[in-house]
Amino acid sequence: MSLAKVFITRRLPTELEQLYAIASGTARSAIASVEVWPERQPPPYEVLLAKAQNVDGFLCLLTDKIDRQLIENSSLKVISQMAVGYDNIDIAAATAQKIPVGHTPGVLTDATADLTWALLMAAARRVVEADQFTRAGLWQTWEPDLLLGPNVAGATLGIIGLGRIGQGVARRAHGFDMKILYTNRHQSDSELEKTLNVEFVPLETLLRKSDFITIHTPASDDTYHLISDRQFALMKSSAILINTARGSIIDQDALYHALSQNQIAAAALDVTEPEPIPKDSPLLTLDNLIITPHIGSASRQTRSKMATIAIANLIAGLKGDRLPYCVNPQVYD
Ligand code: GLV
């Protein structure tokens, strides 16, 4: 029987290669012949297109565009994404072709909530500016009004999207005695609201009342530019906006306007549109904006768990078993 063929769109850390070997037998070729894209940059779309016509499984990342054209012209039996988000994959097209798509939910909740918290604290207390100030040799004495920011403790936090990561952020906010508002497509059950001590409000109310606003909703047609001029106009002039979800949720032209006109106080983004942010983006000129390069899940333990799940999904798909974490279980109906 010929071996299944797999294309992994980026090198995984060595330990994960070993894990793959264990998962698939004594040699990693036991279950599939594996090709790993060797470059630091993602494979170009044309490469993905060609590989998809020739292999049974993809293990891909959020930087890989897996669209209808690729899916409909592929020999793929499984698409396993090493991420919780999957807006880079045309799920409807995969479902129509009965191709299960795997993702890695749960294991990155804490890492992403931690980074959200790091960005919130850094933006509030101007940590990046303060470091740059020190390195520039500008620290001359203790000054009563140097690099002032707002209190985090006791402030109002607005969470847009109370899924796993939004809930993780709410739990962290308890340590800071914050009042927590949230908005979501559906109101959570009252048990969860009580445990998290959160209050459901419409988006407009959240924007008006929050000192800190943090985004934890997936990218979709519904959330595209959810935060734009009108929403910035509703925010407090002292508001701080955090986004560790997806760049497309914020209209970046509107963000530039809001930050440069001091319509809001500051923002911190781990995600942009596009990624990476172009080097000449006007956003990069702003002192009241922190940008990190999409590192929400970037703890060693988390990345290792994400790869483990992605590999388990991939192997299940190659064997024709149900994926442990499937985005489109309708393929099994
Ligand atoms: C990261 O953004 C992910 O979706 O896993």
Side-chain angles (χ1 to χ4, degrees):
M1 203 181 81
S2 66
L3 284 180
K5 289 192 209 155
V6 163
F7 183 56
I8 301 184
T9 65
R10 222 72 59 76
R11 273 207 310 266
L12 303 177
T14 324
E15 57 178 303
L16 303 174
E17 296 252 355
Q18 285 163 6
L19 178 84
Y20 184 86
I22 294 161
S24 58
T26 45
R28 75 189 179 115
S29 59
I31 238 186
S33 77
V34 180
E35 185 184 346
V36 181
W37 178 250
E39 315 280 332
R40 184 168 176 209
Q41 291 295 323
Y45 179 68
E46 293 65 40
V47 171
L48 290 175
L49 207 55
K51 296 290 179 200
Q53 292 168 15
N54 201 24
V55 300
D56 305 286
F58 262 15
L59 195 162
C60 55
L61 307 184
L62 52 84
T63 43
D64 302 317
K65 182 166 137 195
I66 313 288
D67 63 3
R68 181 171 290 275
Q69 176 182 217
L70 182 150
I71 288 168
E72 287 181 350
N73 293 294
S74 79
S75 55
L76 292 172
K77 297 191 179 64
V78 56
I79 300 169
S80 174
Q81 161 117 323
M82 190 179 127
V84 64
Y86 43 82
D87 47 292
N88 55 311
I89 303 173
D90 189 329
I91 300 297
T95 307
Q97 299 298 317
K98 297 268 182 217
I99 302 172
V101 177
H103 70 146
T104 65
V107 292
L108 43 70
T109 302
D110 280 325
T112 309
D114 283 350
L115 185 82
T116 303
W117 207 258
L119 290 177
L120 185 151
M121 295 295 295
R125 299 303 305 275
R126 302 172 63 181
V127 171
V128 176
E129 265 180 278
D131 178 76
Q132 284 164 353
F133 178 90
T134 307
R135 288 169 198 267
L138 298 172
W139 182 8
Q140 290 175 359
T141 181
W142 189 92
E143 295 176 70
D145 59 353
L146 180 63
L147 289 162
L148 301 184
N151 272 341
V152 175
T156 298
L157 174 66
I159 300 179
I160 301 177
L162 196 69
R164 294 186 195 86
I165 298 170
Q167 291 173 31
V169 172
R171 281 193 294 274
R172 281 154 181 77
H174 294 161
F176 290 77
D177 294 327
M178 294 177 95
K179 177 176 170 61
I180 309 170
L181 308 176
Y182 80 97
T183 193
N184 214 12
R185 261 206 317 196
H186 307 291
Q187 182 166 2
S188 299
D189 64 60
S190 52
E191 203 55 42
L192 183 68
E193 289 186 337
K194 218 165 105 196
T195 311
L196 292 175
N197 197 12
V198 295
E199 182 188 343
F200 182 69
V201 292
L203 177 62
E204 292 202 356
T205 308
L206 181 145
L207 298 173
R208 280 184 215 281
K209 292 195 169 169
S210 299
D211 300 304
F212 296 91
I213 297 164
T214 183
I215 301 176
H216 301 288
T217 187
S220 69
D221 291 346
D222 292 342
T223 60
Y224 181 77
H225 288 191
L226 180 70
I227 305 298
S228 189
D229 289 316
R230 210 174 71 77
Q231 290 70 33
F232 283 114
L234 294 173
M235 294 180 197
K236 296 182 181 184
S237 58
S238 56
I240 293 181
L241 175 67
I242 318 296
N243 187 9
T244 56
R246 284 293 183 269
S248 62
I249 300 166
I250 297 180
D251 172 351
Q252 286 180 185
D253 292 339
L255 175 66
Y256 178 78
H257 182 263
L259 289 172
S260 59
Q261 302 302 308
N262 297 317
Q263 200 176 8
I264 66 168
L269 310 176
D270 185 47
V271 287
T272 61
E273 189 201 26
E275 290 184 5
I277 190 164
K279 289 192 176 71
D280 60 355
S281 167
L283 289 173
L284 295 172
T285 64
L286 297 170
D287 288 336
N288 53 351
L289 175 64
I290 298 172
I291 307 183
T292 50
H294 204 146
I295 54 168
S297 64
S299 79
R300 276 185 280 280
Q301 297 90 330
T302 295
R303 286 287 165 82
S304 180
K305 286 182 189 159
M306 288 166 72
T308 307
I309 293 179
I311 290 165
N313 279 333
L314 179 72
I315 291 172
L318 294 176
K319 287 180 167 169
D321 296 343
R322 205 180 171 97
L323 308 197
Y325 295 94
C326 189
V327 170
N328 55 347
Q330 310 89 295
V331 296
Y332 300 115
D333 290 347

